[in-house]
Amino acid sequence: MLFTGDFGEVQGRILLTALLVAGFSIVALCDLALAGRALRVAGLVGVGVAILALLLGLVVIWRDWSGGGFGEILRAFAIAGIWSLSLAQGNLLLLLAHRRRFPVRMGLGATCLFILLTATLVSLPILTNGEIPGEAAPDYWRAFGVVVILDALGTIVVPVLALFLRDDDGDAVPAVPGSIPVAATPSLESGWVQLSPELAADVARVATAARTTPEVVVAFAVRRHLDERRRPLSPPDPDGAATAR
């Protein structure tokens, strides 16, 4: 379509549809980053809002623009798009929700609050067709500017804090029925360990049953093995042989 030079109304709508689907895919991938985690409900909500925005966007692109009710559909699409982007941003930050350092947790909570405020302050004028903020528009948009700056600042600073302020080994994740009590951020910083397909399948089954990740299962198994190796020998048996506990 682009290279033939035949660019009419239908071709323009096809191009807008492709851009809309691409935007939906990126947003949905951000939301699905929480799949398999404790806060996966937030990711599902984000995907649901993204699907709503996609459907409304298709209606806006392909319906007859001269018909009535177009303004209402356009406003609904704008609000759904705003909340879809905001939820995607928040869900990416929620990947750090398991961290236990106070600055990271405080910054994450504040940034999520600013994300919600940003989406709300943008949505209200669209939803009310300008009745909000009305005569208080200068103060309203000044406050909005402050919230946006704090939103952007938190989005940048919180991941950087999480990078430098790592959790200690003693910072355990909250107990969940069926979960494995291990350190909050188990990792192998010296490199990767490759497992056989059979062992990897066993680890995946245990992780699924415990509602955790394979990395957590491997870290727990290694930690327990090391603790076993550190235990002292048991008293000699009647034959005088020492056996490891």
Side-chain angles (χ1 to χ4, degrees), residues 11-242:
Q11 289 79 6
R13 294 187 178 189
I14 292 174
L15 181 60
L16 289 176
T17 301
L19 295 175
L20 178 65
V21 172
F24 163 77
S25 302
I26 295 173
V27 170
L29 285 175
C30 295
D31 293 323
L32 291 175
L34 290 177
R37 295 174 179 265
L39 296 175
R40 54 184 174 273
V41 174
L44 294 177
V45 172
V47 172
V49 176
I51 293 175
L52 177 62
L54 173 65
L55 296 177
L56 291 172
L58 291 175
V59 172
V60 169
I61 293 173
W62 287 100
R63 69 160 290 164
D64 184 9
W65 293 349
S66 62
F70 178 73
E72 288 75 9
I73 298 177
L74 184 60
R75 281 198 295 270
F77 167 66
I79 294 174
I82 290 168
W83 280 97
S84 177
L85 293 174
S86 299
L87 288 171
Q89 178 189 359
N91 286 333
L92 285 179
L93 288 175
L94 286 178
L95 292 173
L96 301 172
H98 66 283
R99 302 300 290 270
R100 289 292 173 264
R101 289 298 186 96
F102 178 76
V104 176
R105 294 184 65 82
M106 182 63 66
L108 178 61
T111 303
C112 289
L113 176 61
F114 292 135
I115 291 173
L116 293 177
L117 286 176
T118 299
T120 302
L121 292 176
V122 176
S123 300
L124 285 177
I126 299 174
L127 183 63
T128 62
N129 200 20
E131 293 182 7
I132 297 177
E135 297 180 357
D139 295 332
Y140 183 92
W141 293 116
R142 273 195 289 268
F144 169 75
V146 173
V147 172
V148 169
I149 291 173
L150 294 175
D151 179 356
L153 182 64
T155 303
I156 296 172
V157 171
V158 170
V160 174
L161 284 176
L163 181 64
F164 288 101
L165 297 179
R166 296 185 178 275
D167 293 336
D168 297 329
D169 291 339
D171 295 335
V173 294
V176 178
S179 65
I180 298 178
V182 294
T185 56
S187 62
L188 289 174
E189 297 182 351
S190 59
W192 292 93
V193 174
Q194 185 173 1
L195 304 178
S196 65
E198 295 80 8
L199 187 55
D202 291 339
V203 170
R205 281 194 293 271
V206 173
T208 301
R211 291 186 292 175
T212 185
T213 62
E215 291 82 4
V216 170
V217 174
V218 173
F220 174 73
V222 172
R223 173 57 58 192
R224 189 169 66 174
H225 175 72
L226 294 177
D227 291 342
E228 290 286 341
R229 295 294 298 271
R230 293 193 186 102
R231 291 181 180 178
L233 296 177
S234 60
D237 59 19
D239 297 331

